[in-house]
Amino acid sequence: MSHVLGLELRREAPPLLGPLLSSFPLPAGSWPSQILRSNHGSPSPCLLGAPRKAVGEMNILAPVRRDRVLAELPQCLRKEAALHVHRDFNPRVTCACQEHRTGTVGFKISKVIVVGDLSVGKTCLINRFCKDTFDKNYKATIGVDFEMERFEVLGVPFSLQLWDTAGQERFKCIASTYYRGAQAIIIVFNLNDVASLEHTKQWLADALKENDPSSVLLFLVGSKKDLSTPAQYMLMEKDALKVAQEMKAEYWAVSSLTGENVREFFFRVAALTFEANVLAELEKSGARRIGDVVRINSDDSNLYLTANKKKPTCCP
Ligand SMILES: Nc1nc2c(ncn2[C@@H]2O[C@H](COP(=O)(O)OP(=O)(O)OP(=O)(O)O)[C@@H](O)[C@H]2O)c(=O)[nH]1
Ligand SMILES: [Mg+2]
């Protein structure tokens, strides 16, 4: 155990999770073990002794919920700012799943970090998807929190660990120590606050310092859509699409209050992370054919991450 700025951290995963987490990167072996929140946007010392949410409590081995099963590729929101616009999963991925050649995918936890200004709605977004709840009162995240969400993609079990980070400047140093090893970065801004959109570039730069920009998947998410009129939304969307294109991120607009696009968005994150993971496994295992290259940062204006469109040899 150790204490970082008053937060108690467990240094080892429980034995049961050891093999599952062996490939899961964490800074210095640390695990956050509790959610610390205040009721008015500031830390409350009385909460420091609150019951801990241990890693062992994560619902990692429970059966996959029926509504977390993905048989088809969920589509992007806007073709102008999408990671790719293919209608279906990469055929090599579909084929590998049918033939049970997905390597460690299915036993691996993919790390997704959620960053953005304070109060943009990161925690509410995660809670809407994972718990189907919405809290209208602002409770600042202190440091980091996480939720585990299990999926079944093309018949293969797949888990996302969603890391909810603090947007408040004073907690940023704690949160940033958890950026490392992300497979996807979700940068959230408030659709009703243009400054929060401008700040997304800095959030991305900070998150990329700890990650490999060539392999991480980026999502730019506008929150609180329910608070914009259609006209206001259209104006903001124009700017947001531009920023997303510059970042090579996939653009989404959501409301955690109404639930609009929340499920669709996280399904898309799960599907694209899964697809990238299986392709990486195939590459590692040597199944990849010479010349069948995954291009990152493609010149194709719509496709930031795209695979060679030639038919694979393993499928008809
Ligand atoms: N109307 C509306 N309010 C929202 C929505 N999402 C979040 N909020 C409100 O915005 C406030 C901040 O939400 P949080 O999710 O706590 O924000 P956060 O980004 O996690 O903030 P930090 O933890 O400080 O970084 C809360 O009062 C929420 O109720 C939304 O979709 N619509
Ligand atoms: Mg929060």
Side-chain angles (χ1 to χ4, degrees):
M1 303 276 227
S2 74
H3 290 78
V4 177
L5 297 178
L7 304 188
E8 188 187 78
L9 300 172
R10 249 180 89 168
R11 286 220 161 266
E12 72 288 319
L16 178 64
L17 299 182
L20 294 173
L21 301 178
S22 58
S23 62
F24 181 64
L26 282 168
S30 298
W31 286 87
S33 60
Q34 71 189 98
I35 310 168
L36 298 174
R37 293 177 188 288
S38 68
N39 288 321
H40 305 290
S42 58
S44 164
C46 67
L47 287 177
L48 293 176
R52 284 179 296 131
K53 177 184 169 187
V55 172
E57 289 170 34
M58 294 187 304
N59 202 15
I60 186 172
L61 297 175
V64 177
R65 284 167 46 175
R66 271 207 204 154
D67 61 352
R68 294 287 185 262
V69 174
L70 279 97
E72 284 164 7
L73 180 68
Q75 298 302 296
C76 60
L77 183 73
R78 297 298 306 259
K79 290 197 162 111
E80 301 93 315
L83 287 176
H84 72 57
V85 292
H86 301 148
R87 298 296 305 172
D88 302 309
F89 279 104
N90 184 306
R92 302 186 68 239
V93 171
T94 312
C95 185
C97 292
Q98 281 164 1
E99 296 173 1
H100 309 289
R101 289 189 292 108
T102 54
T104 58
V105 174
F107 300 98
K108 208 160 100 176
I109 296 162
S110 281
K111 178 175 178 175
V112 178
I113 58 172
V114 184
V115 298
D117 276 6
L118 76 151
S119 197
V120 291
K122 300 178 294 294
T123 301
C124 286
L125 178 62
I126 292 171
N127 285 345
R128 170 58 78 193
F129 181 63
C130 297
K131 303 173 186 165
D132 201 17
T133 58
F134 178 79
D135 187 351
K136 65 179 179 3
N137 300 310
Y138 173 43
K139 298 184 183 98
T141 302
I142 300 169
V144 289
D145 184 13
F146 57 75
E147 288 294 335
M148 181 75 75
E149 203 57 41
R150 299 188 67 225
F151 296 86
E152 189 186 292
V153 188
L154 296 173
V156 178
F158 183 67
S159 296
L160 284 187
Q161 192 171 50
L162 301 167
W163 291 71
D164 178 16
T165 68
Q168 285 197 27
E169 194 59 40
R170 57 187 158 159
F171 305 127
K172 221 176 146 183
C173 59
I174 307 173
S176 61
T177 60
Y178 291 90
Y179 287 173
R180 188 153 54 94
Q183 270 92 63
I185 301 171
I186 297 172
I187 311 136
V188 184
F189 72 98
N190 179 348
L191 284 164
N192 310 282
D193 174 10
V194 75
S196 71
L197 174 63
E198 283 158 13
H199 298 160
T200 56
K201 290 173 195 165
Q202 190 55 50
W203 284 107
L204 175 62
D206 291 347
L208 284 181
K209 277 184 210 154
E210 306 291 333
N211 288 288
D212 176 4
S214 67
S215 63
V216 75
L217 305 182
L218 305 179
F219 296 87
L220 180 69
V221 179
S223 63
K224 309 191 188 185
K225 190 164 183 283
D226 57 281
L227 295 178
S228 326
T229 64
Q232 287 167 336
Y233 175 74
M234 290 308 283
L235 271 180
M236 188 59 120
E237 190 191 64
K238 222 170 128 208
D239 292 342
L241 285 172
K242 229 183 278 170
V243 173
Q245 284 162 352
E246 281 166 24
M247 288 179 172
K248 301 196 183 310
E250 178 156 310
Y251 170 73
W252 281 82
V254 300
S255 167
S256 304
L257 188 147
T258 64
E260 181 180 353
N261 287 341
V262 171
R263 186 174 183 275
E264 291 83 348
F265 166 63
F266 279 108
F267 269 44
R268 180 82 175 160
V269 173
L272 294 184
T273 312
F274 175 86
E275 186 175 55
N277 259 329
V278 176
L279 285 171
E281 289 291 337
L282 291 175
E283 186 169 25
K284 244 193 322 190
S285 69
R288 179 177 290 277
R289 289 180 306 138
I290 294 167
D292 189 2
V293 180
V294 174
R295 287 183 288 130
I296 311 287
N297 300 337
S298 158
D299 288 340
D300 185 329
S301 59
N302 281 339
L303 308 181
Y304 306 144
L305 177 111
T306 176
N308 189 309
K309 292 180 183 115
K310 276 182 199 164
K311 276 196 172 178
T313 47
C314 62
C315 287

Short mmCIF file of all heavy atoms in Angstrom, two decimals, residues 29 68 99 101 173 261 273 285:
data_model
loop_
_atom_site.label_atom_id
_atom_site.label_comp_id
_atom_site.label_asym_id
_atom_site.label_seq_id
_atom_site.Cartn_x
_atom_site.Cartn_y
_atom_site.Cartn_z
N GLY A 29 2.95 -0.17 -10.97
CA GLY A 29 2.14 -1.22 -10.36
C GLY A 29 1.03 -0.71 -9.47
O GLY A 29 0.50 -1.43 -8.63
N ARG A 68 -24.61 -6.17 -24.06
CA ARG A 68 -23.22 -5.78 -24.35
C ARG A 68 -22.64 -6.68 -25.43
O ARG A 68 -21.43 -6.84 -25.53
CB ARG A 68 -22.35 -5.89 -23.08
CG ARG A 68 -22.74 -4.90 -21.98
CD ARG A 68 -22.30 -3.50 -22.34
NE ARG A 68 -22.53 -2.56 -21.26
CZ ARG A 68 -23.58 -1.75 -21.18
NH1 ARG A 68 -24.51 -1.77 -22.11
NH2 ARG A 68 -23.71 -0.90 -20.17
N GLU A 99 -12.48 -18.31 -36.44
CA GLU A 99 -11.53 -19.43 -36.30
C GLU A 99 -10.83 -19.43 -34.94
O GLU A 99 -9.85 -20.14 -34.75
CB GLU A 99 -10.48 -19.35 -37.43
CG GLU A 99 -11.11 -19.53 -38.80
CD GLU A 99 -10.10 -19.29 -39.92
OE1 GLU A 99 -8.92 -19.00 -39.64
OE2 GLU A 99 -10.52 -19.38 -41.09
N ARG A 101 -8.85 -17.31 -33.58
CA ARG A 101 -7.43 -16.94 -33.67
C ARG A 101 -7.22 -15.51 -33.19
O ARG A 101 -6.62 -14.70 -33.86
CB ARG A 101 -6.94 -17.05 -35.11
CG ARG A 101 -6.82 -18.46 -35.64
CD ARG A 101 -6.13 -18.47 -36.99
NE ARG A 101 -6.93 -17.86 -38.03
CZ ARG A 101 -6.69 -16.68 -38.58
NH1 ARG A 101 -5.67 -15.96 -38.20
NH2 ARG A 101 -7.47 -16.20 -39.53
N CYS A 173 -2.09 16.36 -11.72
CA CYS A 173 -0.81 15.62 -11.59
C CYS A 173 -1.07 14.18 -11.14
O CYS A 173 -0.36 13.27 -11.53
CB CYS A 173 0.15 16.34 -10.67
SG CYS A 173 -0.50 16.58 -9.04
N ASN A 261 -27.08 8.98 -27.73
CA ASN A 261 -25.79 8.53 -28.33
C ASN A 261 -24.79 7.90 -27.36
O ASN A 261 -23.69 7.55 -27.77
CB ASN A 261 -25.07 9.70 -29.04
CG ASN A 261 -25.75 10.07 -30.34
OD1 ASN A 261 -26.52 9.29 -30.88
ND2 ASN A 261 -25.48 11.26 -30.83
N THR A 273 -11.70 -0.56 -30.68
CA THR A 273 -10.57 -0.99 -29.85
C THR A 273 -10.33 -2.48 -30.04
O THR A 273 -9.20 -2.95 -30.16
CB THR A 273 -10.85 -0.66 -28.37
OG1 THR A 273 -11.29 0.67 -28.27
CG2 THR A 273 -9.61 -0.83 -27.51
N SER A 285 1.35 -12.47 -34.32
CA SER A 285 1.44 -13.92 -34.50
C SER A 285 1.94 -14.28 -35.91
O SER A 285 2.01 -15.45 -36.25
CB SER A 285 0.08 -14.57 -34.26
OG SER A 285 -0.79 -14.19 -35.29
#
